[in-house]
Amino acid sequence: MNKVKLDEIDHQILDMLIDNTRTPFTDIAKKLLISAGTVHVRVKKMEESGIIKGSSLTLDYVKLGYSFIAYVGIFLEKTHQTKFVLERLSQIPYVTVAHITTGKFNIFCKIRAKDTTHAKNIIFKIDDIEGISRTETMISLEESINDKRRLMHTIFNEL
Amino acid sequence: MNKVKLDEIDHQILDMLIDNTRTPFTDIAKKLLISAGTVHVRVKKMEESGIIKGSSLTLDYVKLGYSFIAYVGIFLEKTHQTKFVLERLSQIPYVTVAHITTGKFNIFCKIRAKDTTHAKNIIFKIDDIEGISRTETMISLEESINDKRRLMHTIFNEL
DNA sequence: GGTGAAACTTCTAATAA
DNA sequence: TTATTAGAAGTTTCACC
């Protein structure tokens, strides 16, 4: 859970890998004027320390037939049911993100669906979970920003 | 924007790469009983067709000193200012996601910050954008689910 | 810590089926 | 479309700074 110290070299390695996880270590080495072996060792260390948790593809959900996004705010009957409800939510694969929140809602989640009909079924399934008193849905008309890279570049340039 | 047809082999390739983008094609080939060349050709095609948009590292934000997540609902003075406001939001790197939504809010965004003080500054910056009449913040106490892989596995097993 | 080179593995593109 | 293959390229290890 604690912070980890990374130096400028580490930041630059991450900065390149963030945009393409398959960037050859030899390319990174060339750009940073270090050896490929060093890149390898540093990446390995960042994996071991947990800074790098893994890698994943960015796929085009729309092309896969999943163009519907909605956020669902959940009101619980009693807050101590949070764990149980989250357990149930996690069994619905279309719920891709969920947070316990302060403010308006007790739990806040994001769903991905094929279309409105599909989404309706998912939301009904959520509504049916015991312990949930009410939900409020916000349908995404357009995902205008989705860019963790900008944040990462900012973080890496901070030091 | 249109859907793309993928067969079972493509799905299985994606399914393996989703969990680790550096999985050697030779490993994938062995598991699927095809040649590494075939894997290579298919991945390339999926990249060209746009199904695979890219790859990215999953980093531990907490270890990087960014443990604060909040969702901010935005009410606009007039809806036609949406574009302008989004433009401004996209200049704040700590705003990692933003959607135009129906329902309670006009725009809905997610922010990542170091701590509450940092978050406060970001939210003030959002509040200051011209055209925004009011915002409502939901602070994440815990990110309980964050798993697009479960969804992908489901999609791949659908056919 | 880092390097450079050797040994090993993987990628890639051309050819053939 | 897929398989094979061989040369190019990348990764990983290790003795030595």
Side-chain angles (χ1 to χ4, degrees), chain B residues 104-146:
Chain B
K104 228 181 128 37
F105 311 109
N106 299 119
I107 295 175
F108 191 71
C109 67
K110 177 180 180 176
I111 66 172
R112 272 255 177 211
K114 292 180 204 177
D115 47 43
T116 47
T117 309
H118 187 208
K120 188 192 67 188
N121 291 333
I122 296 165
I123 292 167
F124 280 2
K125 213 176 266 177
I126 293 174
D127 279 328
D128 277 349
I129 295 172
E130 253 183 280
I132 291 181
S133 74
R134 201 163 68 76
T135 64
E136 208 169 90
T137 302
M138 286 148 276
I139 295 170
S140 167
L141 302 176
E142 192 186 310
E143 186 170 41
S144 307
I145 301 176
N146 188 340

Side-chain angles (χ1 to χ4, degrees), chain B residues 6-67:
Chain B
L6 303 177
D7 66 11
E8 186 56 30
I9 304 273
D10 291 323
H11 283 161
Q12 295 207 254
I13 292 171
L14 289 178
D15 208 34
M16 292 188 77
L17 288 176
I18 276 268
D19 286 331
N20 176 9
T21 58
R22 285 203 179 241
T23 308
F25 291 179
T26 45
D27 285 8
I28 297 174
K30 231 173 286 171
K31 187 156 179 190
L32 304 185
L33 305 175
I34 55 179
S35 77
T38 302
V39 176
H40 176 236
V41 169
R42 280 168 174 266
V43 169
K44 215 170 171 186
K45 265 187 199 153
M46 290 191 280
E47 282 170 351
E48 279 159 7
S49 73
I51 276 278
I52 297 177
K53 293 205 275 189
S55 60
S56 190
L57 295 180
T58 308
L59 301 181
D60 189 322
Y61 290 89
V62 175
K63 287 197 170 121
L64 287 166
Y66 280 72
S67 51

Side-chain angles (χ1 to χ4, degrees), chain A residues 21 53 58 66 100 141 158, chain B residues 21 53 58 66 100 141 158:
Chain A
T21 58
K53 292 205 274 189
T58 308
Y66 280 71
I100 303 173
L141 301 176
E158 252 170 16
Chain B
T21 58
K53 293 205 275 189
T58 308
Y66 280 72
I100 303 173
L141 302 176
E158 251 169 19

Side-chain angles (χ1 to χ4, degrees), chain A residues 4 73 81 121 137:
Chain A
V4 174
Q81 290 155 326
N121 291 333
T137 302

Side-chain angles (χ1 to χ4, degrees), chain B residues 72-90:
Chain B
V72 180
I74 297 174
F75 298 91
L76 297 178
E77 280 162 9
K78 289 162 186 157
T79 313
H80 65 257
Q81 292 155 327
T82 308
K83 245 190 162 174
F84 171 80
V85 171
L86 283 169
E87 182 56 45
R88 289 304 185 83
L89 281 175
S90 74

Side-chain angles (χ1 to χ4, degrees), chain A residues 1-4 6 14 17-23 25 49-66 69 71 86 89-105 108 110 112 114 136-152 154-156 158, chain B residues 1-4 6 14 17-23 25 49-66 69 71 86 89-105 108 110 112 114 136-152 154-156 158:
Chain A
M1 281 296 170
N2 25 346
K3 279 173 76 169
V4 174
L6 302 177
L14 289 178
L17 289 176
I18 275 269
D19 286 332
N20 176 9
T21 58
R22 284 205 179 237
T23 308
F25 290 178
S49 73
I51 276 278
I52 296 177
K53 292 205 274 189
S55 60
S56 191
L57 295 180
T58 308
L59 301 180
D60 189 321
Y61 290 88
V62 175
K63 287 198 170 119
L64 287 167
Y66 280 71
I69 300 174
Y71 287 93
L86 284 169
L89 281 175
S90 74
Q91 286 160 12
I92 305 173
Y94 308 102
V95 175
T96 56
V97 181
H99 291 262
I100 303 173
T101 54
T102 68
K104 229 182 128 37
F105 310 111
F108 191 71
K110 179 182 181 176
R112 272 257 179 211
K114 292 180 204 178
E136 209 169 90
T137 302
M138 286 149 277
I139 295 170
S140 168
L141 301 176
E142 191 185 311
E143 184 171 41
S144 308
I145 302 175
N146 188 340
D147 194 354
K148 70 173 182 181
R149 283 169 187 165
R150 243 173 44 251
L151 172 61
M152 295 328 273
T154 305
I155 293 178
F156 298 147
E158 252 170 16
Chain B
M1 281 300 171
N2 26 347
K3 279 174 77 168
V4 174
L6 303 177
L14 289 178
L17 288 176
I18 276 268
D19 286 331
N20 176 9
T21 58
R22 285 203 179 241
T23 308
F25 291 179
S49 73
I51 276 278
I52 297 177
K53 293 205 275 189
S55 60
S56 190
L57 295 180
T58 308
L59 301 181
D60 189 322
Y61 290 89
V62 175
K63 287 197 170 121
L64 287 166
Y66 280 72
I69 300 173
Y71 287 93
L86 283 169
L89 281 175
S90 74
Q91 286 161 11
I92 305 173
Y94 309 102
V95 174
T96 56
V97 180
H99 290 262
I100 303 173
T101 54
T102 68
K104 228 181 128 37
F105 311 109
F108 191 71
K110 177 180 180 176
R112 272 255 177 211
K114 292 180 204 177
E136 208 169 90
T137 302
M138 286 148 276
I139 295 170
S140 167
L141 302 176
E142 192 186 310
E143 186 170 41
S144 307
I145 301 176
N146 188 340
D147 194 354
K148 70 172 180 178
R149 282 170 187 165
R150 241 173 44 251
L151 172 61
M152 295 328 275
T154 305
I155 292 178
F156 298 148
E158 251 169 19

